[in-house]
Amino acid sequence: MAISDEAQRNHDALFPNHKSTLKETDPELIELFDNWAFGEVLQDETLDTRTRLMVQLAAMIACHAVNEYRVMLGGALNVGVTPLEVKEIVYQAVPYAGMARVFDFLHATNEVLRSRGIPLPLKGQSTTNPATRFDKGLEVQKRIFGDSIDQMYAKSPKDQLHLQKHLSANCFGDYYTRTGLDLKTRELLTFAMIASLGGCEPQLAGHVAGNLAVGNDRKVLVSTITHLLPFIGYPRTLNAIKVINEGTSK
């Protein structure tokens, strides 16, 4: 089996002049994978190329696939994802994947950017401070999830109320309020990360609703999961599709 012209074109658009060592050691696997991931999977593409690469980078962080992330980061930069957008993807992963997992990706990102002559640090994107982060975060939460946020606070046991406050101030106040990515993109990245983590279906269901609220419809969500399939596998993909179906059938 040879790699199809279509798959090769799509691959070369991301990685021009790239010589794969795996193509030499594992030619059958690379032919199977590239024909599928860069050919078949892209035939029903809904997302633009930049968005596709951004959600894939987010998924790789959630999967802790550092080596694959490095490769795909180069491809993302080649098709116009900006250094600032890349950094914001990594930052957005902190409250969802945790710093223990994201730490390696911060360093990998910095190394790739520096190798391309991009000076660091990049321009700051924070819009809140210690005095405003809670209120601004709560405002964004309610914009995405509506009255359910008030219900979450009302139903929270007293010994767990601090977690709701952390969610509002830290996850949403510190990260969702940043510039560099719009709210619609941040919510789609969050959806991609939670789907890729696996085992977080209740949270994924909430972010299906959140994505619908900010304008990412069923078609976008299904397309996102389709483009993650080559990297996260079938079990997590099919779990995510089930959650999408349940969240969009009402």
Side-chain angles (χ1 to χ4, degrees), residues 196-234:
S196 302
L197 285 169
C200 304
E201 283 71 28
Q203 291 79 15
L204 188 62
H207 284 279
V208 167
N211 272 275
L212 296 175
V214 299
N216 293 319
D217 61 16
R218 174 188 169 89
K219 187 175 183 180
V220 169
L221 297 180
V222 172
S223 184
T224 296
I225 293 301
T226 301
H227 292 313
L228 298 188
L229 172 57
F231 304 101
I232 69 173
Y234 283 99

Side-chain angles (χ1 to χ4, degrees), residues 54-245:
M54 290 168 74
V55 297
Q56 288 175 338
L57 290 177
M60 288 171 194
I61 296 172
C63 294
H64 204 234
V66 181
N67 289 337
E68 184 71 0
Y69 172 87
R70 287 177 185 273
V71 174
M72 294 301 290
L73 173 53
L77 293 169
N78 288 340
V79 297
V81 179
T82 69
L84 182 57
E85 289 170 330
V86 170
K87 271 300 183 85
E88 290 303 315
I89 293 168
V90 179
Y91 291 4
Q92 183 72 15
V94 173
Y96 291 99
M99 181 57 88
R101 191 175 300 238
V102 175
F103 184 84
D104 292 338
F105 293 89
L106 281 170
H107 286 289
T109 300
N110 291 340
E111 289 166 10
V112 172
L113 294 181
R114 285 194 176 109
S115 74
R116 294 192 173 214
I118 298 166
L120 298 174
L122 301 179
K123 183 180 179 181
Q125 301 297 309
S126 181
T127 65
T128 61
N129 58 48
T132 64
R133 60 198 285 268
F134 176 82
D135 289 338
K136 293 293 185 180
L138 186 61
E139 181 182 331
V140 173
Q141 269 187 298
K142 290 184 176 182
R143 179 179 169 188
I144 300 172
F145 302 107
D147 294 339
S148 65
I149 301 302
D150 290 329
Q151 295 172 17
M152 286 173 58
Y153 270 91
K155 293 179 180 179
S156 178
K158 289 184 179 180
D159 65 349
Q160 297 172 24
L161 188 60
H162 63 285
L163 296 176
Q164 298 298 337
K165 292 179 179 178
H166 287 325
L167 188 63
S168 296
N170 176 243
C171 181
F172 288 90
D174 288 340
Y175 295 98
Y176 268 83
T177 59
R178 293 176 61 83
T179 51
L181 295 172
D182 60 27
L183 184 60
K184 188 175 179 181
T185 301
R186 286 189 185 277
E187 186 60 15
L188 189 62
L189 292 171
T190 297
F191 169 79
M193 285 185 273
I194 295 175
S196 302
L197 285 169
C200 304
E201 283 71 28
Q203 291 79 15
L204 188 62
H207 284 279
V208 167
N211 272 275
L212 296 175
V214 299
N216 293 319
D217 61 16
R218 174 188 169 89
K219 187 175 183 180
V220 169
L221 297 180
V222 172
S223 184
T224 296
I225 293 301
T226 301
H227 292 313
L228 298 188
L229 172 57
F231 304 101
I232 69 173
Y234 283 99
R236 280 176 286 187
T237 295
L238 295 178
N239 280 345
I241 289 295
K242 180 181 179 182
V243 174
I244 292 171
N245 289 341

